[in-house]
């Protein structure tokens, strides 16, 4: 089916961000019942009131989606400027535009993206900040079934969906500076059977250090803990930290990829939720830049650089073996395979049966990755 094939290609582009894949489906957004309407409307039928409520809620959800897309565009431009300034090498991000963002866009598609990549910087050896926008795609039978399998929703093949995501990964040149990864995203479905529109947010932020500076990791976790302080219990810092630890895990190695952060899906797309998700993106540089400033001039040896390359090998192992978005994007021929692999480190190393010295900093990192710690300081 040509439509389904095209839909899968667009999805592969959308889910290039490391933590969002089509299998991470979204939960129901139940809309207002007739009881919320004024008694003066009682002469109308129940079904008419339900239809009106659904229409009004759908309009609100669509407004949240449009607002969030504008925010992602502005945030990408701001992040690019901040990273280039922080790096200080004069190296600039490339700009690979496709679809609706192309300069010679012919109006044929409502979808598109901008993959921005920096390579060879002084601080950022390789980094990417990717924006993807899908408008009015058509759910395949597989995707509709995946949504229904997670939630009690009457989502059907042929339902219209839209989605948008902004992801960032910054691989540091120095092994004393951790790799930073984050993304924020929104997924919207127009349900024909439900006569309504539903949308959900997702996102996260996490660190992958190579040498442990405990105060840096604590600083990072404290920032996102404070950001989560007004969330409902299901989206508390404790819950989102656990989701992050659970997701970024290499079962074959029995170790976690890094020291975690937060990770979430299925957050109903309300104005209140959007405020939190925007806060995640607005915390990207404030949560990473102070660490960079503190460690950027720390000297390191060739042996320590080699350790970083070995740990990057684990990073790539996770991407290729366990990350659901990357696996989906590589499952079939994909004209935007470079976009799927954009989060890969620039250089890596694998060494057979590498052993670390007991009592070393490398051994301490491995111990922490085997058993995640509670990093945030207790709130008094």
């Amino acid at each position: 089916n040509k439509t389904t094939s095209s839909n899968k290609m667009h999805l592969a582009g959308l889910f290039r961000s490391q933590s969002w894949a089509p299998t991470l489906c979204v939960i129901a957004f139940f809309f207002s019942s007739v009881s919320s309407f004024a008694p003066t409307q009682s002469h109308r039928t129940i079904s008419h009131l339900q239809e009106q409520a659904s229409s009004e809620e759908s309009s609100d959800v669509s407004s949240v989606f449009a607002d969030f897309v504008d925010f992602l565009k502005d945030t990408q431009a701001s992040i690019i400027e901040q990273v280039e300034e922080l790096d200080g090498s004069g190296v600039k991000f490339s700009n690979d535009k496709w679809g609706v963002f192309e300069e010679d866009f012919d109006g044929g598609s409502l979808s598109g993206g901008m993959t921005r990549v920096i390579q060879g910087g002084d601080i950022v050896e390789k980094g990417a900040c990717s924006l993807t926008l899908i408008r009015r795609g058509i759910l395949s039978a597989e995707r509709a079934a995946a949504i229904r399998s997670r939630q009690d929703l009457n989502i059907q093949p042929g339902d219209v969906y839209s989605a948008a995501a902004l992801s960032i990964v910054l691989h540091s040149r120095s092994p004393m500076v951790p790799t930073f990864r984050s993304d924020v995203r929104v997924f919207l479905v127009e349900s024909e059977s439900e006569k309504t529109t539903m949308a959900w947010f997702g996102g996260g932020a996490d660190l992958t250090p190579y040498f442990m500076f405990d105060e840096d990791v604590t600083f990072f976790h404290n920032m996102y803990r404070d950001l989560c302080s007004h969330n409902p219990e299901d989206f508390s810092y404790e819950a989102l930290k656990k989701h992050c630890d659970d997701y970024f895990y290499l079962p074959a190695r029995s170790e976690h990829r890094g020291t975690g952060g937060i990770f979430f899906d299925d957050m109903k797309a309300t104005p209140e939720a959007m405020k939190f998700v925007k806060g995640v993106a607005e915390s990207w540089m404030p949560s990473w830049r102070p660490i960079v400033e503190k460690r950027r001039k720390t000297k390191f040896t060739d042996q320590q650089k080699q350790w970083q390359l070995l740990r990057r090998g684990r990073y790539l192992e996770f991407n290729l073996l366990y990350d659901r978005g990357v696996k989906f994007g590589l499952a079939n021929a994909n004209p935007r395979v470079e976009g799927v692999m954009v989060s890969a480190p620039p250089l890596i190393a694998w060494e057979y049966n590498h052993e670390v010295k007991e009592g070393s900093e490398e051994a301490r990192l491995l111990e922490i990755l085997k058993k995640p710690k509670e990093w945030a300081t207790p709130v008094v």
Side-chain angles (χ1 to χ4, degrees):
N1 182 287
K2 185 176 180 181
T3 301
T4 300
S5 177
S6 176
N7 182 46
K8 286 186 176 182
M9 184 186 73
H10 287 316
L11 278 170
L14 173 65
F15 296 117
R16 73 188 61 171
S17 66
Q18 290 192 40
S19 62
W20 191 24
T23 49
L24 291 180
C25 301
V26 286
I27 63 171
F29 189 175
F30 295 108
F31 298 101
S32 301
S33 68
V34 296
S35 61
S36 63
F37 285 82
T40 55
Q41 297 175 314
S42 60
H43 65 281
R44 301 183 182 182
T45 64
I46 295 296
S47 61
H48 183 88
L49 288 174
Q50 289 175 327
E51 184 176 330
Q52 181 181 10
S54 177
S55 176
E56 291 176 358
E57 292 285 358
S58 295
S59 178
D60 290 343
V61 171
S62 297
S63 295
V64 167
F65 183 89
D67 185 334
F68 193 65
V69 169
D70 288 340
F71 169 77
L72 296 186
K73 294 176 185 176
D74 292 342
T75 300
Q76 185 186 39
S78 174
I79 289 292
I80 297 303
E81 183 178 341
Q82 292 180 66
V83 172
E84 288 179 348
E85 183 272 328
L86 174 64
D87 186 78
S89 65
V91 176
K92 301 295 183 181
F93 278 81
S94 62
N95 193 353
D96 179 13
K97 300 178 181 180
W98 58 280
V100 71
F101 295 103
E102 291 181 277
E103 300 296 342
D104 57 350
F105 175 61
D106 60 8
S109 172
L110 296 173
S111 303
M114 289 187 286
T115 303
R116 307 292 306 271
V117 179
I118 185 171
Q119 300 181 96
D122 288 346
I123 300 298
V124 182
E125 192 168 4
K126 180 187 174 188
C129 188
S130 301
L131 170 67
T132 306
L133 173 62
I134 305 297
R135 286 195 182 101
R136 304 201 63 77
I138 304 300
L139 282 178
S140 66
E142 178 187 7
R143 294 302 105 218
I147 294 175
R148 291 196 304 273
S149 71
R150 278 179 60 95
Q151 301 297 333
D152 184 19
L153 289 174
N154 190 23
I155 301 298
Q156 297 297 323
D159 281 349
V160 175
Y161 76 92
S162 297
L166 181 64
S167 64
I168 184 170
V169 59
L170 299 170
H171 291 291
S172 54
R173 181 174 296 280
S174 169
M176 302 302 164
V177 176
T179 288
F180 172 68
R181 187 221 64 89
S182 184
D183 73 301
V184 289
R185 53 197 185 268
V186 64
F187 188 79
L188 177 149
V189 178
E190 299 174 27
S191 172
E192 179 63 27
S193 59
E194 299 286 346
K195 302 298 182 186
T196 194
T197 301
M198 300 161 280
W200 308 265
F201 287 117
D206 60 273
L207 280 184
T208 302
Y210 307 101
F211 289 91
M212 288 302 305
F213 297 94
D214 291 25
E215 63 270 30
D216 295 348
V217 182
T218 293
F219 165 80
F220 182 86
H221 277 264
N222 281 350
M223 179 164 289
Y224 289 99
R225 177 206 61 197
D226 293 345
L227 185 65
C228 296
S229 62
H230 299 295
N231 285 356
E233 186 175 351
D234 288 350
F235 294 96
S236 66
Y237 162 75
E238 290 76 15
L240 302 195
K241 178 187 182 297
K242 185 178 187 307
H243 291 329
C244 190
D245 289 338
D246 290 346
Y247 183 74
F248 293 104
Y249 180 70
L250 292 86
R253 301 281 187 182
S254 298
E255 66 185 41
H256 297 262
R257 192 181 70 179
T259 51
I262 61 171
F263 179 89
F264 63 97
D265 266 303
D266 307 342
M267 179 176 279
K268 295 178 183 179
T270 65
E272 294 76 18
M274 182 166 62
K275 182 179 179 181
F276 165 73
V277 180
K278 285 182 176 181
V280 173
E282 290 167 345
S283 298
W284 288 355
M285 293 306 289
S287 67
W288 188 67
R289 181 170 187 147
I291 298 173
V292 175
E293 298 285 13
K294 188 184 294 186
R295 308 299 172 192
R296 63 188 301 171
K297 295 183 179 179
T298 302
K299 296 187 181 301
F300 57 89
T301 65
D302 290 343
Q303 183 179 0
Q304 289 170 325
K305 180 66 179 180
Q306 180 66 15
W307 173 248
Q308 180 192 39
L309 299 184
L310 289 169
R311 293 310 308 171
R312 284 180 178 176
R314 298 288 198 272
Y315 196 102
L316 189 59
E317 279 184 31
F318 176 84
N319 283 11
L320 295 176
L321 297 176
Y322 306 115
D323 186 272
R324 289 170 287 209
V326 173
K327 286 173 65 178
F328 182 85
L330 299 180
N332 298 291
N334 186 343
R336 294 203 56 80
V337 65
E338 290 295 322
V340 177
M341 291 297 295
V342 74
S343 62
L347 295 171
I348 61 172
W350 275 293
E351 180 180 312
Y352 179 74
N353 200 28
H354 179 81
E355 296 184 3
V356 299
K357 184 177 180 181
E358 186 176 351
S360 66
E361 284 299 304
E362 292 86 345
R364 190 167 83 91
L365 173 67
L366 289 181
E367 183 180 347
I368 289 171
L369 297 181
K370 295 283 185 181
K371 188 176 181 180
K373 292 178 59 175
E374 296 300 325
W375 291 105
T377 53
V379 178
V380 180

